[in-house]
Amino acid sequence: MIGHRMPESSDLMASVEPKLQQVFMTSQPVLIAAATGTGFMEGAVRNTVNKKALNCVNGAFSQRMAEITAANGKANEVYEVEWGQAILPEPVAARLASGEFDAITLAHNETSTGVASPVGEIAKAIRALPNGNEIIIIVDAVSSLSGAYLPFDEWDLDVLFTSSQKAFALPPGLAFCAVSQRAMDKAKTVPNRGFYFDFIDMNKFLQKHQTSATTPISLLYAADVQLDRILAEGVEARIARHVAMRDRTIEWVMSKGFQLFAAPGYESTTVTTAVNNREIDISALNKFLRTRGMIISNGYGNLKGKTFRIAHMGDLHLADLETLFAAMDEFLG
Ligand code: PLP
Protein backbone atom coordinates (compact mmCIF):
# COMPACT_ATOMS: atom_id res chain seq x y z
CA MET A 1 0.00 0.00 0.00
CA ILE A 2 1.27 3.48 -0.80
CA GLY A 3 0.95 6.24 1.80
CA HIS A 4 -1.90 8.68 1.21
CA ARG A 5 0.33 11.74 1.52
CA MET A 6 2.93 10.32 -0.86
CA PRO A 7 3.26 11.70 -4.40
CA GLU A 8 2.15 8.30 -5.76
CA SER A 9 -1.23 8.80 -4.08
CA SER A 10 -1.58 12.29 -5.58
CA ASP A 11 -0.69 10.84 -8.99
CA LEU A 12 -3.51 8.30 -8.56
CA MET A 13 -6.00 11.02 -7.55
CA ALA A 14 -4.82 13.19 -10.45
CA SER A 15 -5.47 10.29 -12.81
CA VAL A 16 -8.98 9.65 -11.47
CA GLU A 17 -10.18 13.28 -11.25
CA PRO A 18 -10.38 14.27 -14.96
CA LYS A 19 -11.96 10.93 -15.85
CA LEU A 20 -14.65 11.47 -13.25
CA GLN A 21 -15.25 14.94 -14.67
CA GLN A 22 -15.83 13.39 -18.10
CA VAL A 23 -18.42 10.98 -16.70
CA PHE A 24 -20.15 13.81 -14.80
CA MET A 25 -19.88 15.94 -17.97
CA THR A 26 -18.40 18.83 -16.04
CA SER A 27 -15.35 21.05 -15.79
CA GLN A 28 -16.12 21.72 -12.11
CA PRO A 29 -14.62 19.78 -9.20
CA VAL A 30 -15.86 16.26 -8.49
CA LEU A 31 -15.22 15.56 -4.81
CA ILE A 32 -14.11 12.07 -3.81
CA ALA A 33 -14.91 10.57 -0.41
CA ALA A 34 -14.33 7.33 1.41
CA ALA A 35 -18.05 6.96 1.99
CA THR A 36 -21.26 5.82 0.34
CA GLY A 37 -23.81 8.07 -1.32
CA THR A 38 -25.59 8.74 1.97
CA GLY A 39 -22.52 10.69 3.10
CA PHE A 40 -23.00 13.21 0.31
CA MET A 41 -26.77 13.34 0.99
CA GLU A 42 -25.81 14.72 4.37
CA GLY A 43 -22.98 16.87 3.01
CA ALA A 44 -25.20 18.41 0.33
CA VAL A 45 -27.77 19.88 2.72
CA ARG A 46 -25.19 20.63 5.35
CA ASN A 47 -23.15 22.83 2.95
CA THR A 48 -25.84 24.63 0.99
CA VAL A 49 -29.00 25.28 3.02
CA ASN A 50 -29.35 28.48 5.02
CA LYS A 51 -33.06 29.19 4.66
CA LYS A 52 -35.15 26.13 3.81
CA ALA A 53 -34.94 23.11 1.55
CA LEU A 54 -37.76 21.79 -0.61
CA ASN A 55 -37.43 18.00 -0.41
CA CYS A 56 -39.17 16.36 -3.37
CA VAL A 57 -40.28 12.87 -2.39
CA ASN A 58 -41.45 10.07 -4.69
CA GLY A 59 -39.95 7.02 -3.01
CA ALA A 60 -37.85 5.69 -0.16
CA PHE A 61 -34.53 7.33 -1.04
CA SER A 62 -35.91 10.82 -1.68
CA GLN A 63 -37.75 10.38 1.62
CA ARG A 64 -34.44 9.55 3.27
CA MET A 65 -33.11 12.86 1.91
CA ALA A 66 -35.96 14.70 3.64
CA GLU A 67 -35.15 12.89 6.89
CA ILE A 68 -31.46 13.75 6.52
CA THR A 69 -32.30 17.42 5.91
CA ALA A 70 -34.32 17.58 9.13
CA ALA A 71 -31.76 15.48 11.05
CA ASN A 72 -29.13 18.11 10.23
CA GLY A 73 -31.27 20.83 11.78
CA LYS A 74 -32.23 22.44 8.45
CA ALA A 75 -35.70 23.87 7.88
CA ASN A 76 -37.49 21.87 5.22
CA GLU A 77 -40.78 21.29 3.45
CA VAL A 78 -41.69 17.99 1.84
CA TYR A 79 -43.35 18.00 -1.56
CA GLU A 80 -44.53 14.42 -2.06
CA VAL A 81 -46.12 12.76 -5.07
CA GLU A 82 -47.51 9.26 -5.24
CA TRP A 83 -44.77 6.61 -5.39
CA GLY A 84 -44.36 5.49 -8.98
CA GLN A 85 -44.83 9.05 -10.25
CA ALA A 86 -42.05 11.40 -11.33
CA ILE A 87 -41.27 14.83 -9.90
CA LEU A 88 -42.33 17.33 -12.57
CA PRO A 89 -41.06 20.85 -13.27
CA GLU A 90 -44.22 22.98 -12.95
CA PRO A 91 -45.29 22.24 -9.34
CA VAL A 92 -41.70 22.43 -8.13
CA ALA A 93 -41.05 25.77 -9.84
CA ALA A 94 -44.37 27.14 -8.55
CA ARG A 95 -43.41 26.29 -4.95
CA LEU A 96 -39.87 27.63 -5.30
CA ALA A 97 -41.17 30.93 -6.73
CA SER A 98 -42.37 31.81 -3.21
CA GLY A 99 -38.81 32.83 -2.29
CA GLU A 100 -38.96 30.79 0.95
CA PHE A 101 -36.41 28.25 -0.25
CA ASP A 102 -32.70 28.31 -1.08
CA ALA A 103 -32.35 24.63 -2.06
CA ILE A 104 -34.23 21.74 -3.60
CA THR A 105 -33.44 18.04 -3.29
CA LEU A 106 -34.58 15.24 -5.57
CA ALA A 107 -33.59 11.69 -6.45
CA HIS A 108 -32.99 11.53 -10.18
CA ASN A 109 -33.50 7.77 -10.12
CA GLU A 110 -35.79 6.49 -7.37
CA THR A 111 -34.36 3.00 -6.91
CA SER A 112 -37.34 1.99 -4.78
CA THR A 113 -39.83 2.60 -7.62
CA GLY A 114 -37.82 2.57 -10.88
CA VAL A 115 -38.79 6.14 -11.72
CA ALA A 116 -36.43 8.65 -13.35
CA SER A 117 -37.50 12.27 -12.90
CA PRO A 118 -36.80 14.82 -15.66
CA VAL A 119 -33.95 16.61 -13.90
CA GLY A 120 -32.96 18.71 -16.94
CA GLU A 121 -36.47 20.12 -17.35
CA ILE A 122 -36.80 20.73 -13.61
CA ALA A 123 -33.49 22.63 -13.54
CA LYS A 124 -34.54 24.70 -16.57
CA ALA A 125 -37.85 25.66 -14.93
CA ILE A 126 -36.03 26.63 -11.73
CA ARG A 127 -33.39 28.77 -13.46
CA ALA A 128 -36.17 30.58 -15.38
CA LEU A 129 -37.61 31.89 -12.07
CA PRO A 130 -36.68 35.46 -11.02
CA ASN A 131 -35.00 33.89 -7.94
CA GLY A 132 -33.79 30.85 -9.91
CA ASN A 133 -30.09 31.56 -9.41
CA GLU A 134 -30.50 31.57 -5.64
CA ILE A 135 -31.73 27.98 -5.57
CA ILE A 136 -29.18 25.22 -5.00
CA ILE A 137 -30.25 22.18 -7.02
CA ILE A 138 -29.22 18.97 -5.23
CA VAL A 139 -29.58 15.76 -7.21
CA ASP A 140 -29.13 12.21 -5.92
CA ALA A 141 -27.87 10.13 -8.83
CA VAL A 142 -26.70 7.21 -6.68
CA SER A 143 -28.34 4.56 -8.86
CA SER A 144 -28.10 6.25 -12.25
CA LEU A 145 -24.89 8.16 -12.91
CA SER A 146 -22.99 6.68 -15.85
CA GLY A 147 -26.16 4.78 -16.81
CA ALA A 148 -28.30 7.82 -17.61
CA TYR A 149 -27.79 11.17 -19.32
CA LEU A 150 -27.03 13.72 -16.57
CA PRO A 151 -24.83 16.50 -18.00
CA PHE A 152 -23.93 18.51 -14.89
CA ASP A 153 -22.70 21.70 -16.61
CA GLU A 154 -25.24 21.78 -19.44
CA TRP A 155 -28.15 21.43 -17.01
CA ASP A 156 -26.63 23.94 -14.58
CA LEU A 157 -26.97 21.63 -11.56
CA ASP A 158 -25.27 22.43 -8.25
CA VAL A 159 -24.67 19.21 -6.33
CA LEU A 160 -24.78 15.83 -8.07
CA PHE A 161 -23.59 12.73 -6.25
CA THR A 162 -23.32 9.02 -6.76
CA SER A 163 -21.96 5.88 -5.13
CA SER A 164 -19.34 3.56 -6.59
CA GLN A 165 -21.36 0.35 -6.22
CA LYS A 166 -24.23 1.02 -8.59
CA ALA A 167 -23.90 1.95 -12.30
CA PHE A 168 -20.12 2.43 -11.97
CA ALA A 169 -19.92 -1.29 -11.13
CA LEU A 170 -17.20 -0.78 -8.53
CA PRO A 171 -16.88 -2.13 -5.01
CA PRO A 172 -18.82 -0.11 -2.39
CA GLY A 173 -16.99 2.48 -0.32
CA LEU A 174 -16.37 5.43 -2.64
CA ALA A 175 -18.71 8.33 -3.31
CA PHE A 176 -18.33 11.07 -5.93
CA CYS A 177 -19.96 14.51 -5.93
CA ALA A 178 -19.81 17.30 -8.50
CA VAL A 179 -20.17 20.76 -6.94
CA SER A 180 -20.87 23.97 -8.90
CA GLN A 181 -19.20 27.31 -8.27
CA ARG A 182 -22.63 28.55 -7.12
CA ALA A 183 -22.74 25.82 -4.46
CA MET A 184 -19.11 26.40 -3.41
CA ASP A 185 -19.79 30.14 -3.01
CA LYS A 186 -22.94 29.36 -1.06
CA ALA A 187 -21.09 26.96 1.25
CA LYS A 188 -18.84 29.83 2.37
CA THR A 189 -21.95 31.54 3.80
CA VAL A 190 -23.27 28.46 5.63
CA PRO A 191 -22.18 27.98 9.26
CA ASN A 192 -21.69 24.52 10.80
CA ARG A 193 -20.90 22.70 7.59
CA GLY A 194 -19.47 19.89 9.67
CA PHE A 195 -15.98 18.47 9.20
CA TYR A 196 -15.78 15.31 7.06
CA PHE A 197 -18.06 16.61 4.30
CA ASP A 198 -17.11 20.30 4.40
CA PHE A 199 -17.12 21.06 0.66
CA ILE A 200 -14.70 23.99 1.00
CA ASP A 201 -12.18 21.85 2.85
CA MET A 202 -12.70 18.84 0.56
CA ASN A 203 -12.10 21.05 -2.47
CA LYS A 204 -8.91 22.51 -0.95
CA PHE A 205 -7.49 19.02 -0.61
CA LEU A 206 -8.79 17.97 -4.04
CA GLN A 207 -6.82 20.83 -5.63
CA LYS A 208 -3.68 19.17 -4.14
CA HIS A 209 -4.93 15.77 -5.40
CA GLN A 210 -5.52 14.64 -1.85
CA THR A 211 -8.44 13.90 0.45
CA SER A 212 -8.77 15.57 3.86
CA ALA A 213 -8.70 12.25 5.74
CA THR A 214 -6.98 9.03 4.65
CA THR A 215 -7.42 8.37 0.95
CA PRO A 216 -9.11 5.05 0.11
CA ILE A 217 -6.17 4.04 -2.07
CA SER A 218 -7.22 0.49 -3.02
CA LEU A 219 -10.70 1.59 -4.06
CA LEU A 220 -9.19 4.42 -6.10
CA TYR A 221 -6.99 1.96 -7.99
CA ALA A 222 -10.19 0.12 -8.90
CA ALA A 223 -11.91 3.38 -9.90
CA ASP A 224 -8.94 4.36 -12.06
CA VAL A 225 -9.17 1.11 -14.03
CA GLN A 226 -12.98 1.12 -14.25
CA LEU A 227 -13.06 4.75 -15.42
CA ASP A 228 -10.67 3.79 -18.22
CA ARG A 229 -13.10 1.04 -19.20
CA ILE A 230 -16.08 3.40 -19.02
CA LEU A 231 -14.33 5.98 -21.20
CA ALA A 232 -13.16 3.29 -23.63
CA GLU A 233 -16.78 2.23 -24.09
CA GLY A 234 -17.72 5.92 -24.27
CA VAL A 235 -20.04 7.71 -21.85
CA GLU A 236 -22.78 8.16 -24.46
CA ALA A 237 -22.45 4.54 -25.64
CA ARG A 238 -22.65 3.32 -22.05
CA ILE A 239 -25.86 5.30 -21.55
CA ALA A 240 -27.27 3.94 -24.84
CA ARG A 241 -26.52 0.40 -23.61
CA HIS A 242 -28.54 1.14 -20.47
CA VAL A 243 -31.43 2.52 -22.53
CA ALA A 244 -31.43 -0.66 -24.66
CA MET A 245 -31.42 -2.84 -21.50
CA ARG A 246 -34.30 -0.78 -20.08
CA ASP A 247 -36.33 -1.19 -23.28
CA ARG A 248 -35.72 -4.94 -23.45
CA THR A 249 -36.65 -5.37 -19.78
CA ILE A 250 -39.90 -3.45 -20.25
CA GLU A 251 -40.67 -5.63 -23.28
CA TRP A 252 -40.09 -8.82 -21.25
CA VAL A 253 -42.15 -7.56 -18.27
CA MET A 254 -45.12 -6.68 -20.48
CA SER A 255 -44.85 -9.91 -22.49
CA LYS A 256 -45.30 -11.87 -19.26
CA GLY A 257 -48.47 -9.99 -18.36
CA PHE A 258 -46.95 -7.82 -15.62
CA GLN A 259 -47.55 -4.09 -15.46
CA LEU A 260 -44.93 -1.42 -14.96
CA PHE A 261 -44.86 0.46 -11.68
CA ALA A 262 -43.27 3.62 -13.12
CA ALA A 263 -45.45 6.27 -14.73
CA PRO A 264 -45.23 5.96 -18.53
CA GLY A 265 -42.36 7.96 -19.99
CA TYR A 266 -40.39 8.06 -16.72
CA GLU A 267 -39.03 4.51 -16.62
CA SER A 268 -35.51 4.30 -15.21
CA THR A 269 -32.65 3.22 -17.45
CA THR A 270 -30.96 1.29 -14.62
CA VAL A 271 -33.75 -0.52 -12.75
CA THR A 272 -37.23 -1.65 -13.82
CA THR A 273 -39.98 -2.14 -11.27
CA ALA A 274 -42.76 -4.53 -12.25
CA VAL A 275 -46.12 -4.70 -10.49
CA ASN A 276 -46.62 -8.23 -9.19
CA ASN A 277 -50.17 -8.37 -10.58
CA ARG A 278 -49.73 -12.11 -11.25
CA GLU A 279 -49.01 -12.54 -7.53
CA ILE A 280 -46.01 -14.77 -8.07
CA ASP A 281 -43.93 -15.90 -5.09
CA ILE A 282 -40.93 -13.57 -5.42
CA SER A 283 -38.92 -15.33 -2.70
CA ALA A 284 -39.40 -18.67 -4.48
CA LEU A 285 -38.41 -17.05 -7.78
CA ASN A 286 -35.19 -15.75 -6.20
CA LYS A 287 -34.45 -19.12 -4.62
CA PHE A 288 -34.70 -20.63 -8.10
CA LEU A 289 -32.61 -17.86 -9.70
CA ARG A 290 -29.89 -18.31 -7.06
CA THR A 291 -29.37 -21.87 -8.28
CA ARG A 292 -28.46 -20.25 -11.62
CA GLY A 293 -26.17 -17.67 -10.01
CA MET A 294 -28.59 -14.78 -10.43
CA ILE A 295 -30.95 -12.76 -8.28
CA ILE A 296 -33.51 -9.99 -8.69
CA SER A 297 -34.83 -7.63 -5.99
CA ASN A 298 -38.09 -7.78 -4.17
CA GLY A 299 -40.13 -4.57 -3.89
CA TYR A 300 -38.70 -1.98 -1.50
CA GLY A 301 -40.29 -1.45 1.92
CA ASN A 302 -44.09 -1.36 1.64
CA LEU A 303 -43.83 -2.51 -1.97
CA LYS A 304 -42.35 -5.88 -0.92
CA GLY A 305 -44.34 -8.69 -2.51
CA LYS A 306 -46.38 -6.16 -4.50
CA THR A 307 -43.55 -5.33 -6.92
CA PHE A 308 -40.22 -6.76 -7.96
CA ARG A 309 -37.22 -4.99 -9.41
CA ILE A 310 -34.83 -6.01 -12.16
CA ALA A 311 -31.51 -4.17 -12.13
CA HIS A 312 -29.87 -3.52 -15.49
CA MET A 313 -26.92 -1.33 -14.72
CA GLY A 314 -23.16 -1.14 -14.65
CA ASP A 315 -21.32 -3.71 -16.70
CA LEU A 316 -24.37 -5.86 -17.51
CA HIS A 317 -25.20 -6.37 -21.17
CA LEU A 318 -28.30 -7.44 -23.09
CA ALA A 319 -26.94 -11.00 -23.20
CA ASP A 320 -26.94 -11.13 -19.38
CA LEU A 321 -30.58 -10.07 -19.36
CA GLU A 322 -31.48 -12.75 -21.91
CA THR A 323 -29.93 -15.34 -19.59
CA LEU A 324 -31.98 -13.94 -16.70
CA PHE A 325 -35.22 -13.83 -18.70
CA ALA A 326 -34.72 -17.41 -19.92
CA ALA A 327 -34.42 -18.56 -16.30
CA MET A 328 -37.43 -16.47 -15.24
CA ASP A 329 -39.43 -17.91 -18.16
CA GLU A 330 -38.52 -21.38 -16.92
CA PHE A 331 -39.75 -20.55 -13.40
CA LEU A 332 -42.96 -18.89 -14.58
CA GLY A 333 -43.71 -21.72 -16.98
N1 PLP B 1 -30.12 7.21 -3.05
C1 PLP B 1 -30.56 6.25 -3.87
C2 PLP B 1 -31.42 6.64 -5.02
C3 PLP B 1 -30.18 4.92 -3.64
O1 PLP B 1 -30.61 3.94 -4.46
C4 PLP B 1 -29.36 4.61 -2.54
C5 PLP B 1 -28.98 3.22 -2.24
O2 PLP B 1 -29.46 2.27 -2.83
C6 PLP B 1 -28.93 5.65 -1.73
C7 PLP B 1 -29.33 6.94 -2.01
C8 PLP B 1 -28.03 5.40 -0.59
O3 PLP B 1 -26.78 5.12 -1.13
P1 PLP B 1 -25.62 4.40 -0.30
O4 PLP B 1 -26.16 3.08 0.13
O5 PLP B 1 -24.49 4.31 -1.28
O6 PLP B 1 -25.31 5.28 0.86
Coordinates of all heavy atoms in Angstrom, one line a residue, residues 36-39 41 61 64 107 109-111 140 142-143 163 165-166, ligand 1:
T36 N -20.3 6.2 1.3 CA -21.3 5.8 0.3 C -22.1 7.1 0.0 O -21.9 8.1 0.6 CB -22.1 4.7 0.8 OG1 -22.9 5.2 1.9 CG2 -21.3 3.5 1.3
G37 N -23.0 6.9 -0.9 CA -23.8 8.1 -1.3 C -24.5 8.8 -0.2 O -24.6 10.1 -0.2
T38 N -24.9 8.1 0.8 CA -25.6 8.7 2.0 C -24.7 9.8 2.6 O -25.2 10.9 3.1 CB -26.0 7.7 3.0 OG1 -26.8 6.7 2.4 CG2 -26.8 8.3 4.1
G39 N -23.4 9.7 2.6 CA -22.5 10.7 3.1 C -22.7 12.0 2.4 O -22.8 13.1 3.0
M41 N -25.4 12.8 0.7 CA -26.8 13.3 1.0 C -26.7 14.3 2.2 O -27.3 15.4 2.1 CB -27.7 12.2 1.3 CG -28.0 11.3 0.1 SD -28.8 9.7 0.6 CE -30.5 10.1 0.4
F61 N -35.8 6.7 -1.2 CA -34.5 7.3 -1.0 C -34.7 8.8 -1.0 O -34.0 9.5 -0.3 CB -33.6 6.8 -2.1 CG -33.2 5.4 -1.9 CD1 -33.8 4.4 -2.7 CD2 -32.3 5.1 -0.9 CE1 -33.5 3.1 -2.4 CE2 -32.0 3.7 -0.7 CZ -32.6 2.7 -1.4
R64 N -35.6 9.5 2.4 CA -34.4 9.6 3.3 C -33.8 10.9 3.2 O -33.3 11.4 4.2 CB -33.4 8.5 2.8 CG -32.2 8.4 3.7 CD -31.1 7.5 3.2 NE -31.5 6.1 3.3 CZ -30.6 5.1 3.0 NH1 -29.3 5.4 2.6 NH2 -31.0 3.8 3.1
A107 N -34.3 12.9 -6.0 CA -33.6 11.7 -6.5 C -33.8 11.6 -7.9 O -35.0 11.4 -8.4 CB -34.1 10.5 -5.7
N109 N -33.1 9.1 -9.8 CA -33.5 7.8 -10.1 C -34.0 7.1 -8.8 O -33.1 6.8 -8.0 CB -32.3 7.0 -10.7 CG -32.7 5.7 -11.3 OD1 -33.4 5.7 -12.4 ND2 -32.3 4.6 -10.7
E110 N -35.3 7.1 -8.6 CA -35.8 6.5 -7.4 C -35.7 5.0 -7.5 O -36.5 4.3 -8.1 CB -37.2 6.9 -7.1 CG -37.5 7.7 -5.9 CD -36.9 7.2 -4.6 OE1 -36.6 6.0 -4.5 OE2 -36.8 7.9 -3.6
T111 N -34.7 4.4 -6.8 CA -34.4 3.0 -6.9 C -35.5 2.2 -6.3 O -35.7 1.0 -6.7 CB -33.0 2.7 -6.2 OG1 -32.2 3.8 -6.3 CG2 -32.4 1.5 -6.7
D140 N -29.6 13.5 -6.3 CA -29.1 12.2 -5.9 C -29.1 11.4 -7.2 O -30.2 11.1 -7.8 CB -30.1 11.6 -4.8 CG -29.8 10.2 -4.6 OD1 -29.2 9.5 -5.4 OD2 -30.4 9.7 -3.5
V142 N -27.4 8.4 -7.2 CA -26.7 7.2 -6.7 C -26.9 6.0 -7.6 O -25.9 5.3 -7.9 CB -27.2 6.9 -5.2 CG1 -26.8 5.5 -4.8 CG2 -26.6 7.9 -4.3
S143 N -28.1 5.8 -8.1 CA -28.3 4.6 -8.9 C -28.5 4.8 -10.4 O -29.0 4.0 -11.1 CB -29.6 3.8 -8.4 OG -30.7 4.7 -8.5
S163 N -22.7 6.9 -5.9 CA -22.0 5.9 -5.1 C -21.2 5.0 -6.1 O -21.7 4.8 -7.3 CB -22.9 5.0 -4.3 OG -23.7 5.8 -3.4
Q165 N -20.9 1.7 -6.1 CA -21.4 0.3 -6.2 C -22.6 0.1 -7.1 O -23.0 -1.0 -7.3 CB -21.7 -0.2 -4.8 CG -23.0 0.2 -4.2 CD -22.9 1.5 -3.5 OE1 -22.0 2.3 -3.6 NE2 -24.0 1.9 -2.8
K166 N -23.0 1.2 -7.8 CA -24.2 1.0 -8.6 C -23.8 1.0 -10.1 O -23.2 0.0 -10.5 CB -25.2 2.1 -8.3 CG -25.8 2.1 -6.9 CD -26.9 1.1 -6.8 CE -27.8 1.2 -5.6 NZ -27.2 1.1 -4.3
Ligands
PLP1 N1 -30.1 7.2 -3.1 C1 -30.6 6.3 -3.9 C2 -31.4 6.6 -5.0 C3 -30.2 4.9 -3.6 O1 -30.6 3.9 -4.5 C4 -29.4 4.6 -2.5 C5 -29.0 3.2 -2.2 O2 -29.5 2.3 -2.8 C6 -28.9 5.7 -1.7 C7 -29.3 6.9 -2.0 C8 -28.0 5.4 -0.6 O3 -26.8 5.1 -1.1 P1 -25.6 4.4 -0.3 O4 -26.2 3.1 0.1 O5 -24.5 4.3 -1.3 O6 -25.3 5.3 0.9

